[in-house]
């Protein structure tokens, strides 16, 4: 479920990921194939099959829109429930009986992450920009073992950010019903018909 100042969209999606290189999403709404998205290291391309149009975003453009450095690795980490930034020696780690709190700085952004002490899985992320009200929170829950890996079958993303057009709120609610880890080659069918219009 995706909701912002323009859209309120509920859809089912099939997601395929070739780790650290390519992500493919196929969306259906009310049984109708509505769109496809291809995300690689350079850009994000979205096809709207219903309107016969497509969009291409580079990460610099996305970073400006959301006022946060958006990269392929960040998107992949959010989808998989992994750390968006690796831990380095200067990071602060606070421990208690239930979890570790990891506090990091990334330029003007402060990241606070909560990691379950027993499962060592990321449960929440909070990102704040120093001199603005820009804020992002990500919460992971419903952990299920997929082979030997604990995977969060629920993810909630809430963004509050200010751009040149004003202040906006974006909410994304992701609930997985099936997850597989495969060593087979995955197919990523993606082509843009000539008659489609770029927006």
């Amino acid at each position: 479920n995706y909701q912002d100042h323009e859209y309120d969209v509920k859809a089912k999606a099939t997601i395929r990921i070739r780790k650290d290189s390519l992500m493919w999403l196929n969306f259906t709404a009310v049984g109708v194939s509505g769109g496809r998205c291809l995300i690689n290291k350079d850009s994000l391309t979205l096809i709207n099959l219903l309107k016969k149009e497509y969009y291409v975003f580079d990460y610099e453009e996305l970073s400006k829109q959301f006022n946060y450095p958006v990269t392929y690795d960040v998107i992949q980490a959010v989808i998989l429930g992994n750390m968006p930034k690796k831990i380095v020696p200067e990071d602060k780690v606070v421990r208690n009986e239930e979890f570790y709190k990891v506090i990091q700085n990334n330029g003007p952004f402060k990241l606070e992450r909560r990691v379950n002490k027993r499962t060592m899985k990321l449960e929440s992320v909070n990102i704040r920009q120093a001199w603005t009200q820009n804020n992002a929170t990500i919460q992971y829950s419903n952990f299920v073992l997929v082979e030997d890996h604990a995977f969060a079958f629920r993810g909630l993303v809430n963004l509050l950010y200010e751009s040149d057009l004003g202040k906006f709120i974006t909410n994304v609610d992701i609930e997985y019903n099936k997850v597989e880890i495969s060593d087979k080659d995955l197919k990523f069918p993606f082509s843009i018909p000539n008659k489609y219009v770029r927006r």
Side-chain angles (χ1 to χ4, degrees), residues 16-25 37-46 55-60 62 70-76 79 188 190 192:
R16 297 175 185 170
I17 299 175
R18 182 185 295 138
K19 189 180 177 187
D20 299 331
S21 65
L22 194 63
M23 286 181 273
W24 176 93
L25 297 87
C37 184
L38 190 70
I39 305 171
N40 59 32
K41 287 287 192 175
D42 300 317
S43 61
L44 183 154
T45 303
L46 178 64
Y55 304 79
V56 180
F57 304 97
D58 62 34
Y59 293 116
E60 183 179 354
L62 289 171
V70 178
T71 64
Y72 176 92
D73 293 335
V74 167
I75 297 172
Q76 179 178 265
I79 291 176
F188 300 87
F190 195 87
I192 302 172

Side-chain angles (χ1 to χ4, degrees), residues 20-189:
D20 299 331
S21 65
L22 194 63
M23 286 181 273
W24 176 93
L25 297 87
N26 185 61
F27 300 98
T28 58
V30 198
V32 178
S33 182
R36 282 189 180 165
C37 184
L38 190 70
I39 305 171
N40 59 32
K41 287 287 192 175
D42 300 317
S43 61
L44 183 154
T45 303
L46 178 64
I47 302 175
N48 187 325
L49 300 172
L50 300 177
K51 293 186 177 181
K52 294 183 168 53
E53 58 189 27
Y54 70 99
Y55 304 79
V56 180
F57 304 97
D58 62 34
Y59 293 116
E60 183 179 354
E61 183 180 358
L62 289 171
S63 298
K64 285 180 180 177
Q65 180 177 340
F66 292 107
N67 272 333
Y68 184 79
V70 178
T71 64
Y72 176 92
D73 293 335
V74 167
I75 297 172
Q76 179 178 265
V78 169
I79 291 176
L80 295 179
N82 292 334
M83 296 279 198
K85 185 176 184 290
K86 291 183 179 179
I87 297 176
V88 294
E90 55 266 29
D91 294 337
K92 181 179 179 182
V93 179
V94 179
R95 300 169 174 84
N96 70 19
E97 291 182 1
E98 296 181 2
F99 61 85
Y100 298 101
K101 182 193 284 186
V102 182
I103 302 170
Q104 299 175 300
N105 292 308
N106 185 13
F109 299 94
K110 183 176 182 180
L111 289 75
E112 290 188 9
R113 300 179 296 181
R114 178 170 155 163
V115 178
N116 186 292
K117 201 169 184 178
R118 183 177 57 82
T119 64
M120 294 305 294
K121 293 301 297 183
L122 183 66
E123 292 186 343
S124 67
V125 181
N126 181 262
I127 303 168
R128 294 191 307 274
Q129 190 175 24
W131 58 83
T132 71
Q133 293 183 352
N134 292 345
N135 186 68
T137 59
I138 309 169
Q139 294 180 321
Y140 298 101
S141 60
N142 296 358
F143 288 91
V144 177
L145 274 180
V146 178
E147 295 185 6
D148 294 329
H149 306 276
F151 187 86
F153 271 60
R154 185 83 184 273
L156 295 172
V157 181
N158 304 105
L159 305 175
L160 172 65
Y161 60 96
E162 188 172 358
S163 72
D164 295 337
L165 301 175
K167 293 182 180 179
F168 299 102
I169 297 174
T170 298
N171 297 310
V172 184
D173 185 351
I174 304 169
E175 188 169 353
Y176 296 90
N177 58 28
K178 183 180 180 182
V179 176
E180 294 178 341
I181 300 172
S182 175
D183 56 2
K184 297 178 181 177
D185 285 337
L186 295 175
K187 296 186 183 301
F188 300 87

